[in-house]
Amino acid sequence: MAIKCMIVDDEPLAIEVIESYVDRISDLEVTATCNNALKAFEMLQKEPVDLIFLDIQMPKLTGIDFIKSLKNPPKIILTTAYRDYALEGYELDVIDYLLKPISFERFMKAIGKVYEVQSPEKAEANGVSEDDEYIYLKADKKMVKVRLHEILYIESLKDYVRVKTTNKDVITHQKISYLEEKLPEECFMRIHRSFIVATKKIETYSATIIEVPGKELPIGRLYKNQVLERLNSEHQL
């Protein structure tokens, strides 16, 4: 049975993008689109859905306030151009948080999480296991596949970045901020103006240093509070 989806966004182009992505997945179906949260609230009373793609910054009622107004909300994937709402979104138990512009690869990762909540077996059958996720980076005049689960850390080298994996180094002409936006926030964390670390590869950490296999990475002064708050919350016994 298809997963019934609603798209709520005040930008018509944003709705079109999500619709086009949903159309490429056989067991997803868009049953409603709304340009504001009040209209979405009304439609939900008449026709429940399984999943909502929800923008945050909208007139009349924000996406965050919309979620809080629902007694039994369906699964929700937030879609927004603003990174600032990520923590609040996760506190509201949303499935994922997509930053615009949304790539199809990143969209598929979010759908993989929906499958995992519904059925881990379905997630595996649809080929969205964590070990299969990857990005392509341009290096030495060719596109190199980098599997996300193999990344240890990313280092800024002025106009280039070094992506250090468990088995190779990939140096690409790119800004570290670009990769920060493209990589899933729940798996990677900016710890310094020059470093992003894969959180699952962290072996030890202190107030100033994070250690991954074969490397100690500094925690930047401006990132310290945010980094330690996240690490301490994720590693509480």
Side-chain angles (χ1 to χ4, degrees):
M1 183 177 294
I3 297 173
K4 295 181 179 179
C5 305
M6 173 185 286
I7 305 172
V8 187
D9 202 305
D10 61 334
E11 299 177 8
L13 181 59
I15 291 178
E16 289 179 15
V17 169
I18 297 297
E19 278 189 305
S20 70
Y21 289 170
V22 169
D23 286 343
R24 293 161 68 175
I25 304 175
S26 60
D27 51 1
L28 296 185
E29 176 188 1
V30 175
T31 58
T33 62
C34 306
N35 58 16
N36 66 71
L38 291 179
K39 182 178 178 183
F41 185 86
E42 294 174 1
M43 295 188 71
L44 276 180
Q45 313 310 309
K46 303 173 184 177
E47 186 66 33
V49 298
D50 305 305
L51 173 65
I52 300 177
F53 296 96
L54 179 64
D55 187 25
I56 293 178
Q57 289 285 56
M58 291 183 291
K60 300 181 181 179
L61 185 69
T62 69
I64 297 294
D65 289 337
F66 171 64
I67 296 173
K68 293 177 179 178
S69 73
L70 301 176
K71 289 185 178 180
N72 296 297
K75 299 176 184 67
I76 292 175
I77 295 175
L78 291 175
T79 62
T80 180
Y82 302 94
R83 183 184 294 273
D84 300 345
Y85 294 96
L87 180 59
E88 187 172 5
Y90 284 120
E91 288 175 348
L92 292 170
D93 202 27
V94 302
I95 294 290
D96 207 346
Y97 182 99
L98 300 181
L99 279 173
K100 299 175 182 177
I102 301 165
S103 69
F104 183 65
E105 286 183 353
R106 186 64 184 87
F107 175 85
M108 280 301 300
K109 177 179 176 61
I111 298 306
K113 293 182 180 181
V114 176
Y115 290 151
E116 287 172 4
V117 171
Q118 288 202 164
S119 166
E121 294 79 11
K122 185 170 186 177
E124 184 175 347
N126 281 273
V128 290
S129 68
E130 183 177 320
D131 289 353
D132 288 337
E133 295 167 12
Y134 59 86
I135 55 174
Y136 275 101
L137 298 174
K138 189 173 184 179
D140 297 326
K141 298 182 180 180
K142 57 188 176 182
M143 301 303 290
V144 179
K145 178 186 280 189
V146 179
R147 290 180 171 83
L148 299 193
H149 77 279
E150 293 179 350
I151 296 175
L152 297 173
Y153 64 89
I154 297 164
E155 180 181 5
S156 174
L157 306 170
K158 292 187 178 179
D159 293 331
Y160 291 79
V161 293
R162 174 190 288 118
V163 180
K164 180 71 174 180
T165 77
T166 53
N167 54 34
K168 62 186 175 186
D169 286 12
V170 178
I171 297 179
T172 183
H173 188 272
Q174 195 59 263
K175 296 287 189 182
I176 194 171
S177 56
Y178 172 83
L179 289 181
E180 183 182 10
E181 291 183 359
K182 294 298 181 182
L183 293 169
E185 292 183 23
E186 67 275 15
C187 300
F188 295 89
M189 176 171 54
R190 185 81 173 263
I191 63 169
H192 188 280
R193 61 186 178 85
S194 298
F195 290 101
I196 295 172
V197 68
T199 55
K200 288 186 178 181
K201 296 298 192 296
I202 295 173
E203 295 186 326
T204 65
Y205 69 91
S206 68
T208 58
I209 293 292
I210 283 177
E211 184 176 355
V212 298
K215 183 75 171 180
E216 285 189 350
L217 305 173
I219 299 175
R221 179 175 57 84
L222 296 178
Y223 296 85
K224 180 179 177 180
N225 290 341
Q226 179 181 339
V227 168
L228 293 179
E229 181 180 350
R230 175 170 171 180
L231 289 176
N232 291 336
S233 66
E234 290 180 355
H235 296 90
Q236 284 180 346
L237 294 177

